[in-house]
């Protein structure tokens, strides 16, 4: 029997396959398809301090080998989550990690303080990289000083595992990764979506109400894989990888590049059961290569 368990700081995952924020709701939406305890964890839908209505429709568009989204972090706020959603998911036997968002540093701090009181939630994913909101979000993740500032201030009020989600829409993602590591991040997750756009030629109008949005899916995988490899070789903290993972081979490639855990996102829209198939595929790969543990796979790229 191969050992699929992996640890990211103080978070213990029963296997390295998780679902990405924005693709699995608040985990409870996936119970119609599979037992939540079968996957390593869920990165829950982006949550803000107050209710956010999100962007106007249309806010999703299919593109070659991918999709654009401009949902805009629609959610009912952290208090609604605590009162109405948290009680329903508290008994799930898997890691639940809240994706924390804000328009100001003060928003991030106030939200994190509330999350810090939730015993079931042992980690947050600090989202400083969302490309489809009008203010805040990605603005914090595109320069070292601003990324350092928000990470430092959140670290002061959060005593569990702090994962910082990085934007690929930067000149040097390794510089940003090292910057947040220096301010107390316990891990980094990457990549968030790439800024892109789509146009309907016949109407001569953009396909998204926001004109631009975040590109995800297989189209971004080679770039995401490169960035994960670069960051894994530039920091000492664990890396969580994502970006176009559609099957077990994709997940294995990210782990070879240095990711301890991977997130499956866009693929879930195509097949809600894809995460379970990936877990089986990773296990089969380890057995075929005579590896006893998934830890042997992480960062084992042969150069």
């Amino acid at each position: 029997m191969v050992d699929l368990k992996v640890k990211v700081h103080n978070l213990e995952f029963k296997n390295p396959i998780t679902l990405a924020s924005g693709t699995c709701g608040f985990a409870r939406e996936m119970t119609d398809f599979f037992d939540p305890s079968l996957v390593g964890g869920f990165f829950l839908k982006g949550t803000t301090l107050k209710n956010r209505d999100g962007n106007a429709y249309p806010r999703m568009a299919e593109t070659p080998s991918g999709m654009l989204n401009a949902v805009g972090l629609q959610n009912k706020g952290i208090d609604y989550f605590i009162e109405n959603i948290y009680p329903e998911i508290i008994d799930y036997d898997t890691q639940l990690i809240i994706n924390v968002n804000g328009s100001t540093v003060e928003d991030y701090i106030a939200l994190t303080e509330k999350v810090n009181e939730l015993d079931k939630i042992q980690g947050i994913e600090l989202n400083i990289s969302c490309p489809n909101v009008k203010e805040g979000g990605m603005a914090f993740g595109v320069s070292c000083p601003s990324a350092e500032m928000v990470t430092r201030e959140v670290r002061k009020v959060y005593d569990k595992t702090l994962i910082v989600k990085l934007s690929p829409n930067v000149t040097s993602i390794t510089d940003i990764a090292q910057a947040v590591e220096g301010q107390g991040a316990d891990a980094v997750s990457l990549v968030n979506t790439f800024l892109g756009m789509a146009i309907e030629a016949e109407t001569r109008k953009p396909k998204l109400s926001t004109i631009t949005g975040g590109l995800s899916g297989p189209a971004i995988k080679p770039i995401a894989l490169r960035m994960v490899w670069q960051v894994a070789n530039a920091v000492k903290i664990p890396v969580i990888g994502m970006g176009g993972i559609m099957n077990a081979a994709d997940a294995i490639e990210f782990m070879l590049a240095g990711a301890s855990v991977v997130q499956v996102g866009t693929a879930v829209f195509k097949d809600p059961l894809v995460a379970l198939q990936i877990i089986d595929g990773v296990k089969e790969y380890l057995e075929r290569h005579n590896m006893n543990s998934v830890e042997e796979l992480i960062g084992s790229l042969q150069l």
Side-chain angles (χ1 to χ4, degrees):
M1 292 291 291
V2 295
D3 185 1
L4 293 180
K5 293 192 297 293
V6 63
K7 194 170 185 180
V8 173
H9 188 241
N10 290 330
L11 292 177
E12 294 184 354
F13 295 88
K14 63 181 65 178
N15 63 65
I17 311 304
T18 68
L19 273 68
S21 178
T23 64
C24 59
F26 290 101
R28 59 183 183 174
E29 292 87 344
M30 303 306 295
T31 58
D32 287 342
F33 304 101
F34 61 85
D35 180 350
S37 69
L38 296 176
V39 297
F42 293 85
F43 286 78
L44 305 180
K45 180 173 172 55
T47 303
T48 52
L49 186 62
K50 302 295 183 181
N51 176 76
R52 184 178 292 209
D53 292 332
N55 294 320
Y57 292 91
R59 54 191 191 183
M60 296 185 77
E62 188 172 356
T63 61
S65 297
M67 62 176 283
L68 287 165
N69 95 82
V71 174
L73 300 173
Q74 178 180 339
N75 75 102
K76 295 184 178 181
I78 187 60
D79 290 337
Y80 181 89
F81 171 83
I82 293 172
E83 295 170 9
N84 298 279
I85 300 175
Y86 182 66
E88 293 186 14
I89 65 177
I90 194 171
D91 293 327
Y92 289 1
D93 183 22
T94 189
Q95 291 292 350
L96 301 175
I97 299 155
I98 290 188
N99 183 277
V100 168
N101 297 265
S103 297
T104 66
V105 174
E106 290 74 20
D107 285 350
Y108 278 106
I109 292 170
L111 173 53
T112 302
E113 287 176 331
K114 289 177 178 285
V115 177
N116 201 38
E117 300 302 315
L118 305 177
D119 292 338
K120 174 63 178 178
I121 310 296
Q122 292 298 308
I124 62 171
E125 185 177 47
L126 185 66
N127 190 357
I128 58 172
S129 56
C130 186
N132 53 39
V133 292
K134 294 180 180 178
E135 57 182 5
M138 191 174 72
F140 290 106
V142 295
S143 77
C144 289
S146 58
E148 287 176 327
M149 177 183 64
V150 68
T151 303
R152 179 175 62 250
E153 296 307 311
V154 169
R155 177 78 284 174
K156 290 177 182 178
V157 299
Y158 194 66
D159 54 19
K160 301 173 189 176
T161 298
L162 172 58
I163 303 163
V164 179
K165 190 169 188 177
L166 304 183
S167 169
N169 303 295
V170 295
T171 303
S172 174
I173 198 167
T174 55
D175 287 348
I176 305 292
Q178 290 172 330
V180 300
E181 178 184 33
Q183 296 302 318
D186 298 311
V188 288
S189 61
L190 63 147
V191 297
N192 208 325
T193 54
F194 287 79
L195 194 61
M197 69 181 293
I199 296 173
E200 175 52 63
E202 291 301 317
T203 62
R204 292 178 287 175
K205 293 183 178 180
K207 291 187 177 181
L208 297 175
S209 67
T210 52
I211 304 177
T212 63
L215 177 66
S216 63
I220 73 169
K221 180 196 156 192
I223 314 173
L225 191 62
R226 181 262 297 177
M227 290 183 166
V228 164
W229 177 75
Q230 287 180 318
V231 169
N233 283 281
V235 299
K236 295 181 175 63
I237 55 178
V239 172
I240 297 171
M242 75 197 90
I245 296 174
M246 305 296 289
N247 51 49
D250 292 335
I252 290 164
E253 289 175 31
F254 273 84
M255 287 186 277
L256 286 169
S260 297
V261 166
V262 298
Q263 295 183 25
V264 183
T266 300
V268 174
F269 297 125
K270 181 180 179 181
D271 181 358
L273 298 176
V274 67
L276 305 187
Q277 298 162 16
I278 292 175
I279 294 168
D280 290 341
V282 170
K283 181 179 178 182
E284 187 276 331
Y285 177 91
L286 295 174
E287 291 172 342
R288 183 158 44 86
H289 286 268
N290 298 313
M291 295 182 181
N292 295 317
S293 167
V294 72
E295 295 281 359
E296 297 178 46
L297 179 63
I298 299 167
S300 64
L301 182 66
Q302 302 297 299
L303 300 176

